[in-house]
């Protein structure tokens, strides 16, 4: 969908030709000065409409307005969350209809802030997306253009900023959804690498792709063990976004890229196994984030790492009990071949060390246990560094792409002990999302690290089955914040320098 911003008076807006005018109606009393305002005032007075989030009232060719359709959409207090619900609800009504051009105005919604404009753009673009790649005919028609109306130059300034960020984000989210939605035979490791290479044409982005030989040379025995059961060759994708000085330490994003997860020899049950095409949503979110970075050009360096392969059973497949040597040198007993995500991620985390990163964030559809713990509302977030955890939490709140911090107590690692290797790849059923994170943590010892388990948030099941594009919003928000602040290490140095003598963490008995 295309977006634009226009500044016009209420009277001018009433004379504006458009397929549908969506008026966001908040709690401030409506004036009576123009046709739209008086329509709203009458509907409210007659109690045919309420300014509550989710409430809609539609009219066809109403008197005094040039728009073919007018939809009043309640937004309550006008929070970005309510704006999002209102746009989603209004757009639902245009599905399969004749509406191509939607005009959105803040009738008396709330202040024209950048957050509001961003919410409008993101909800509009989310609703307008429909998957078509492997259909012979396109799905139901949706609007292709959205105009957001500001009533003054000052309002336009605030809205424009949010709209620009929103449009950049929407491009990233759409790319993530698109690749995540493609079935596994249309999104193989090789095709995923092709999508990454295409990003390499954009400003500031470079892409390297490693194949089986190079990965073997690096000693990624754990990643290779997962890939050995399939005919599809693995790919290790390395993306670079350079927006700051070459010497500036990058943030590294690592995305799980299992293009299909059958479980391997520890095979999964048939029901809903098709959804395991979404097991590369972490990888898709990294691609989407780079797409948005190319638009936004923040002053920051970012590296993206994607270990991509299929997890299949077969004559060559890795077997329960097999012991492999990871790139870190640690040996791993693979007790369950379905716990493959951590096996590909651990080698990517070791590979990340060479960039001397300021922070590493991995993103993975890692455990069914995380779906049980947090459902589809918040992604699971684990972190070895409080500042990084806080930054990710805040980024989630600001972008409405929520996460929740989970524990990493050492006791949770007990179940990963084995007699036959340095570590086992699974513990018991209890706290499965945490024990998976504890496994990864062993490979993330030389940098501040966080892990996002997006198993519950990356896609929707059932009638609305499809990728959500999460957590691209969270990641981009976090990276934009990082572009404006010193690295964690520099931050703690500054803190130490400014703290009074003797108040630091270097006191006797502090083992940190
Ligand atoms: N990709 C799955 C996790 C998953 C399952 C995400 C269902 C979303 C829905 C992962 O590779 C997996 O199979 N994990 C196992 C781990 C277990 C064997 C310790 C799981 O969660 O069952
Ligand atoms: Mn699995
Ligand atoms: Zn998996």
């Amino acid at each position: 969908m295309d977006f634009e911003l226009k500044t016009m008076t209420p009277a001018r807006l009433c004379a504006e030709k458009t397929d549908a005018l969506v008026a966001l109606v908040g709690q401030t009393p409506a004036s009576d000065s123009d046709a739209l305002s008086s329509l709203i005032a009458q509907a409210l007075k007659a109690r045919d409409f309420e300014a509550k989030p989710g409430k809609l009232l539609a009219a066809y060719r109403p008197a005094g307005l040039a728009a073919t359709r007018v939809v009043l959409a309640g937004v309550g207090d006008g929070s970005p969350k309510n704006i999002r619900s209102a746009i989603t609800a209004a757009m639902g009504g245009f599905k399969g209809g004749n509406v191509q051009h939607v005009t959105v105005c803040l009738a008396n919604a709330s202040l024209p802030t950048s957050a509001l404009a961003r919410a409008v753009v993101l909800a509009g673009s989310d609703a307008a997306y429909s998957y078509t790649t492997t259909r012979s005919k396109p799905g139901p028609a949706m609007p292709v253009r959205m105009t957001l109306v500001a009533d003054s130059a000052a309002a336009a300034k605030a809205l424009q900023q949010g709209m620009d960020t929103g449009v950049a984000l929407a491009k990233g989210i759409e790319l993530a959804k698109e690749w995540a939605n493609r079935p596994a035979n249309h999104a193989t490791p090789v095709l995923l690498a092709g999508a990454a290479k295409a990003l390499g044409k954009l400003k500031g982005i470079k892409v390297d792709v490693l194949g089986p030989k190079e990965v073997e040379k690096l000693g990624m025995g754990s990643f290779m063990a997962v890939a050995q059961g399939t005919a599809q060759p693995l790919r290790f994708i390395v993306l670079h976004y350079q927006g700051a000085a070459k010497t500036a330490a990058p943030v590294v994003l690592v995305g799980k890229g299992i293009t299909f997860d059958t479980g391997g020899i520890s095979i999964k049950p048939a029901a809903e196994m098709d959804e395991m095409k979404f097991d590369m949503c972490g990888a898709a979110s990294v691609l989407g984030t780079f797409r948005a970075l190319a638009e936004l050009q923040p002053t920051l360096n970012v590296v993206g790492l994607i270990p991509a392969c299929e997890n299949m059973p077969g004559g060559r497949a890795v077997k329960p009990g097999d012991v492999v040597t990871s790139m870190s040198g640690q040996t791993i007993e693979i007790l369950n071949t379905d716990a493959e995500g951590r096996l590909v991620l651990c080698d990517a985390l070791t590979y990340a060390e060479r960039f001397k990163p300021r922070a590493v964030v991995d993103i993975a559809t890692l455990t069914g246990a995380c779906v049980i713990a947090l459902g589809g509302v918040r992604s699971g977030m684990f972190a070895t560094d409080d500042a990084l955890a806080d930054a990710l939490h805040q980024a989630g709140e600001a972008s409405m792409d929520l996460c929740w911090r989970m524990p990493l107590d050492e006791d949770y690692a007990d179940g990963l002990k084995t007699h036959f290797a340095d570590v086992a790849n699974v513990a018991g059923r209890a706290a499965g999302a945490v024990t998976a994170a504890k496994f990864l943590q062993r490979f993330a010892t030389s940098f501040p690290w966080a892990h996002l388990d997006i198993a519950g948030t990356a896609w929707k099941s059932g009638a609305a089955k499809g990728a959500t594009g999460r957590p691209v919003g969270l990641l981009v928000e976090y990276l934009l914040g990082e572009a404006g602040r010193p690295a964690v290490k520099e931050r703690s140095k500054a803190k130490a320098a400014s703290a009074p003598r003797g108040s630091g963490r270097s006191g006797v008995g502090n083992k940190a």
Side-chain angles (χ1 to χ4, degrees):
M1 183 146 73
D2 290 325
F3 294 90
E4 61 177 355
L5 187 73
K6 273 192 186 171
T7 308
M8 47 180 120
T9 61
R12 177 74 197 74
L13 174 63
C14 292
E16 181 79 354
K17 278 203 174 140
T18 178
D19 295 331
L21 175 61
V22 175
L24 301 175
V25 183
Q27 282 153 345
T28 31
S31 72
D32 216 350
S33 50
D34 58 276
L36 178 62
S37 303
S38 85
L39 187 155
I40 294 169
Q42 286 177 49
L44 286 170
K45 198 174 167 204
R47 294 180 178 271
D48 276 324
F49 175 67
E50 275 182 294
K52 285 188 182 157
K55 293 277 179 192
L56 292 180
L57 181 69
Y60 192 66
R61 295 196 187 284
L65 285 150
T68 313
R69 302 158 190 83
V70 173
V71 178
L72 308 187
V75 297
D77 64 1
S79 66
K81 189 168 181 241
N82 289 350
I83 300 284
R84 179 173 69 179
S85 324
I87 295 289
T88 305
M91 288 287 285
F94 304 145
K95 196 172 176 175
N98 295 325
V99 177
Q100 297 201 324
H101 178 210
V102 180
T103 301
V104 177
C105 72
L106 324 176
N108 52 344
S110 64
L111 297 174
T113 60
S114 68
L116 182 148
R118 196 204 287 203
V120 169
V121 170
L122 288 179
S125 136
D126 188 66
Y129 170 82
S130 81
Y131 175 82
T132 56
T133 310
T134 48
R135 297 170 66 137
S136 65
K137 290 186 205 94
M142 282 304 281
V144 293
R145 187 153 75 95
M146 186 179 270
T147 305
L148 181 57
V149 173
D151 63 1
S152 70
K157 205 174 159 199
L159 293 174
Q160 187 69 57
Q161 201 204 346
M163 179 171 266
D164 293 346
T165 319
V167 167
L169 261 171
K171 287 185 181 164
I173 289 169
E174 184 167 335
L175 184 80
K177 280 200 219 175
E178 179 56 34
W179 277 96
N181 281 335
R182 289 190 188 184
N185 63 331
H186 292 262
T188 60
V190 170
L191 291 169
L192 214 54
K197 279 204 176 136
L199 290 175
K201 299 212 170 83
L202 304 176
K203 189 180 167 208
I205 297 183
K206 274 202 199 116
V207 179
D208 297 317
V209 176
L210 313 187
K213 274 191 197 143
E214 289 115 316
V215 163
E216 183 171 9
K217 233 186 188 165
L218 285 164
M220 294 184 166
S222 184
F223 177 25
M224 289 190 325
V226 176
Q228 77 190 37
T230 166
Q232 295 292 341
L234 65 78
R235 288 292 182 267
F236 189 81
I237 305 166
V238 185
L239 302 106
H240 296 270
Y241 166 75
Q242 197 196 325
K246 263 213 166 101
T247 51
V251 172
V252 177
L253 304 178
V254 180
K256 173 178 173 183
I258 298 294
T259 57
F260 197 82
D261 181 12
T262 64
I265 296 298
S266 314
I267 199 161
K268 288 181 181 294
E272 279 138 42
M273 204 209 272
D274 66 288
E275 295 193 8
M276 284 298 114
K277 72 172 183 178
F278 293 119
D279 213 16
M280 36 60 76
C281 280
S285 77
V286 172
L287 296 179
T289 298
F290 273 75
R291 179 72 189 86
L293 288 174
E295 295 293 316
L296 295 163
Q297 294 288 316
T299 317
L300 179 78
N301 294 337
V302 186
V303 172
L305 302 177
I306 298 174
C309 70
E310 275 186 348
N311 185 24
M312 293 282 280
R316 290 175 194 277
V318 71
K319 303 168 293 297
D322 283 1
V323 173
V324 298
T325 304
S326 66
M327 186 180 173
S328 72
Q330 297 180 69
T331 60
I332 303 165
E333 185 186 23
I334 302 178
L335 287 173
N336 188 321
T337 65
D338 197 11
E340 85 297 339
R342 61 199 80 181
L343 296 175
V344 306
L345 291 170
C346 69
D347 281 340
L349 288 170
T350 303
Y351 187 86
E353 287 175 6
R354 67 186 55 204
F355 302 106
K356 300 192 169 49
R358 56 191 271 169
V360 176
V361 181
D362 77 65
I363 310 103
T365 48
L366 202 63
T367 64
C370 195
V371 189
I372 303 300
L374 296 172
V377 181
R378 287 179 186 263
S379 303
M381 184 256 288
F382 301 80
T384 53
D385 180 280
D386 290 342
L388 177 56
D390 290 347
L392 290 169
H393 182 86
Q394 282 311 320
E397 301 295 314
S399 60
M400 295 190 284
D401 188 349
L402 306 170
C403 66
W404 196 258
R405 191 171 184 185
M406 305 273 279
L408 282 171
D409 300 274
E410 211 39 50
D411 287 348
Y412 283 111
D414 285 350
L416 296 170
K417 289 187 180 136
T418 165
H419 295 306
F420 302 105
D422 298 343
V423 66
N425 79 326
V426 286
R429 267 167 54 82
V434 188
T435 57
K438 288 306 288 180
F439 177 92
L440 292 177
Q441 191 186 353
R442 299 174 61 97
F443 302 86
T445 49
S446 60
F447 37 69
W449 164 75
H451 156 60
L452 292 170
D453 192 332
I454 57 166
T457 53
W459 77 88
K460 288 181 184 152
S461 307
K465 193 191 285 183
T468 59
R470 290 176 70 180
V472 172
L474 183 160
L475 292 170
V476 173
E477 184 75 25
Y478 161 68
L479 292 173
L480 290 179
E482 283 305 290
R485 77 181 135 214
V488 171
K489 256 195 219 156
E490 304 303 314
R491 269 201 311 265
S492 43
K493 257 192 235 159
K495 228 187 203 173
S498 66
R501 268 166 179 279
S503 73
R505 285 161 49 87
S506 55
V508 184
N510 190 333
K511 280 195 251 168

